[in-house]
Amino acid sequence: MSDTTSNQMWGGRFAAGPDAIMEAINASIGFDQRMAAQDIAGSRAHAAMLGATGIVSPSDVEAIRKGLLTVLSEIEAGTFVFSTALEDIHMNVESRLTEVIGTPAGRLHTARSRNDQVATDFRLWVRDQLDAAEAGLVALMKALLTQAEAGADWVMPGFTHLQTAQPVTWGHHMMAYVEMFARDLSRVRDARARMNESPLGAAALAGTSFPIDRHMTAEALGFDRPMANSLDAVSDRDFALEFLSVASICAMHLSRFAEELVIWSSAQFRFVTLSDRFSTGSSIMPQKKNPDAAELIRAKIGRIFGANVALMMVMKGLPLAYSKDMQEDKEQVFDAADNLMLALAAMEGMVKDMSANRDALERAAASGFSTATDLADWLVRVLDLPFRQAHHVTGALVALAETKGCDLPDLALEDLQGVHAGITEAVFEVLGVHNSVASRLSYGGTAPMRVREQVARWQETLG
């Protein structure tokens, strides 16, 4: 938000005021009022620094401090009247501060520009969202761990191409999402660490001639350090882009899981039952129970992806330092943050409330020749066949089972030996789905023992 505005507060050649169209396109108070708490926090830190460095008198600093607390209380109480004519949250707060304390309010903007002010406010706001996302991800991961622990040895089909591939366990499938969301958690924490530098004190673009203490304001606001270049400080929006990038990847994971819940809760699968709290009925079909929460998560993700692209487009052609285009950064981020937090909360609720249908999972796991790979592995391991030959033998046995209308474990030993004479009774030890999953003992495998190990590791990590 540039300091060369048409706001009447600046007087002089801007005193005539904008017409209605200019006011409408120039104003941001309709959305940036969400940063009120961050704006006042930044102003309080700035005022304290002005007092500590002797730039502003202690009496004026104390008046500003009390006045800002009064303004904040009005905003929190909902009694504050926001004015479009005052353009943005910064000028709305400063104008009201002037009404509350008079002349000292005019000293607050000493050694500061709206350019570094908005950069600071927005960075603080995004940092708060990253903290909220971290909490939401941890809660979701804990809900998944509870499901995984309960179903560590429940067999279900694993899919590729949404076709039955090999048996896995319910716990293993839940832990796959724990790993996905753990990467999201890592990205959230990484993004927060990288963005935790303070733009305050960069002023319009070149710094200031006042003897300010940027390290003091950075520390007061919880930043690790001040940003090292004043041009970069006011023009950087990487922190917002990184938040949107992190949000987009997390949203993609949420959407993938939502899609599975939609499929799994259908009458054709019946793998899970979603609670009534996260489902709706049909206005005409009384038997229906629709997974609307999952469907809405799947749909809302497009808004987050769109916000990411939109802000990239805003920033891609901007020269240093500040341009008014950057006013368009906030609405996209606000909307994406709202939808990400809602989606995380809804997914956590669904996971906590959903019930897996163990019998349906096991029936499905035992169908579709899901132990064919176990048979091929047995032929290699026990009969020392080359894998390609074992693959061919197994394919012939699958074809035979299809002809007989049964699954591999239902074939008689004579049928198996008719395809390869070396097959013995011992092969049936690997053809059952429980034997199959129990044998997958490699690190990261689906064996219940390995699943429980991973559950315990994550429970200790998350606390």
Side-chain angles (χ1 to χ4, degrees):
M1 295 173 185
S2 171
D3 279 338
T4 55
T5 70
S6 54
N7 192 293
Q8 292 189 38
M9 283 190 70
W10 300 110
R13 66 191 181 94
F14 301 109
D19 61 22
I21 294 175
M22 184 59 194
E23 181 176 299
I25 197 171
N26 196 47
S28 59
I29 189 60
F31 50 86
D32 69 15
Q33 61 184 260
R34 293 184 63 165
M35 300 192 303
Q38 289 78 17
D39 187 72
I40 290 173
S43 290
R44 291 179 64 192
H46 183 67
M49 181 274 297
L50 292 176
T53 54
I55 297 171
V56 174
S57 71
S59 60
D60 284 350
V61 169
E62 179 61 15
I64 291 169
R65 185 189 71 80
K66 290 182 177 178
L68 286 171
L69 291 176
T70 297
V71 175
L72 179 61
S73 67
E74 292 175 353
I75 292 172
E76 291 176 341
T79 59
F80 190 96
V81 179
F82 293 99
S83 168
T84 303
L86 292 173
E87 294 182 17
D88 55 35
I89 185 59
H90 325 299
M91 297 312 301
N92 269 264
V93 169
E94 187 172 333
S95 176
R96 178 59 182 147
L97 182 64
T98 301
E99 293 174 352
V100 173
I101 68 171
T103 302
R107 300 193 185 280
L108 175 59
H109 210 57
T110 307
R112 184 176 70 170
S113 161
R114 275 197 293 176
N115 292 353
D116 63 334
Q117 187 177 0
V118 68
T120 303
D121 293 359
F122 195 23
R123 197 172 282 254
L124 288 170
W125 193 91
V126 170
R127 191 177 70 182
D128 288 344
Q129 302 312 300
L130 287 167
D131 290 343
E134 177 176 357
L137 281 164
V138 169
L140 174 55
M141 290 170 67
K142 287 182 175 180
L144 287 163
L145 287 173
T146 300
Q147 286 282 351
E149 187 173 33
D153 57 357
W154 299 359
V155 292
M156 66 175 288
F159 299 96
T160 61
H161 310 277
L162 203 56
Q163 305 295 313
T164 298
Q166 294 175 259
V168 296
T169 58
W170 172 259
H172 193 54
H173 202 114
M174 293 298 101
M175 290 305 296
Y177 281 105
V178 169
E179 293 293 332
M180 281 191 202
F181 292 122
R183 291 193 295 274
D184 294 322
L185 181 62
S186 175
R187 278 184 283 267
V188 164
R189 290 170 173 170
D190 189 47
R192 192 194 192 283
R194 186 165 26 258
M195 62 88 73
N196 202 36
E197 297 181 339
S198 174
L200 193 57
L205 75 163
T208 177
S209 59
F210 288 96
I212 62 172
D213 185 346
R214 293 190 62 207
H215 289 86
M216 178 181 175
T217 52
E219 183 179 355
L221 293 170
F223 289 114
D224 296 327
R225 64 193 67 86
M227 295 183 74
N229 183 283
S230 59
L231 284 169
D232 181 52
V234 298
S235 63
D236 170 52
R237 292 299 182 270
D238 287 1
F239 65 92
L241 289 167
E242 192 164 3
F243 170 74
L244 291 176
S245 177
V246 168
S248 293
I249 298 173
C250 180
M252 177 268 292
H253 291 153
L254 289 166
S255 187
R256 292 183 72 178
F257 195 14
E259 171 71 2
E260 292 204 314
L261 294 180
V262 170
I263 293 170
W264 289 352
S265 62
S266 69
Q268 288 70 32
F269 275 74
R270 298 188 185 279
F271 284 4
V272 299
T273 300
L274 300 178
S275 75
D276 291 345
R277 295 200 309 156
F278 294 96
S279 307
T280 64
S282 167
S283 63
I284 190 172
M285 295 169 284
Q287 83 281 10
K288 293 288 293 297
K289 186 176 182 180
N290 300 323
D292 282 7
E295 291 173 358
L296 287 167
I297 289 174
R298 190 175 57 185
K300 283 181 177 293
I301 297 323
R303 297 170 69 148
I304 298 173
F305 290 175
N308 194 13
V309 173
L311 187 53
M312 284 284 194
M313 293 301 292
V314 168
M315 297 301 298
K316 71 174 183 61
L318 300 186
L320 297 180
Y322 182 90
S323 297
K324 191 70 170 181
D325 311 49
M326 291 163 71
Q327 182 168 292
E328 292 298 306
D329 56 3
K330 294 166 201 66
E331 283 182 286
Q332 304 294 339
V333 176
F334 291 164
D335 186 73
D338 288 346
N339 283 284
L340 177 65
M341 303 314 164
L342 183 60
L344 282 169
M347 186 61 80
E348 181 208 354
M350 280 191 291
V351 171
K352 287 173 71 173
D353 285 4
M354 73 181 179
S355 300
N357 186 337
R358 186 175 182 178
D359 292 339
L361 291 170
E362 186 160 345
R363 283 194 300 272
S367 66
F369 311 107
S370 65
T371 56
T373 304
D374 297 277
L375 173 56
D377 288 348
W378 185 88
L379 293 170
V380 171
R381 190 172 61 253
V382 177
L383 301 187
D384 199 28
L385 296 184
F387 184 79
R388 289 303 173 197
Q389 183 181 351
H391 189 281
H392 177 77
V393 170
T394 302
L397 288 170
V398 167
L400 177 62
E402 284 183 318
T403 300
K404 289 179 171 290
C406 66
D407 210 330
L408 288 172
D410 303 317
L411 290 172
L413 179 61
E414 293 76 14
D415 294 328
L416 300 173
Q417 292 174 335
V419 174
H420 193 283
I423 296 176
T424 67
E425 188 78 30
V427 74
F428 290 103
E429 294 177 3
V430 303
L431 292 183
V433 290
H434 287 281
N435 292 333
S436 173
V437 297
S439 72
R440 304 292 172 178
L441 286 166
S442 58
Y443 182 81
T446 191
M449 177 191 302
R450 294 289 174 256
V451 172
R452 291 190 176 100
E453 287 173 353
Q454 293 300 319
V455 168
R457 177 176 71 88
W458 275 111
Q459 286 175 333
E460 181 179 357
T461 298
L462 296 178

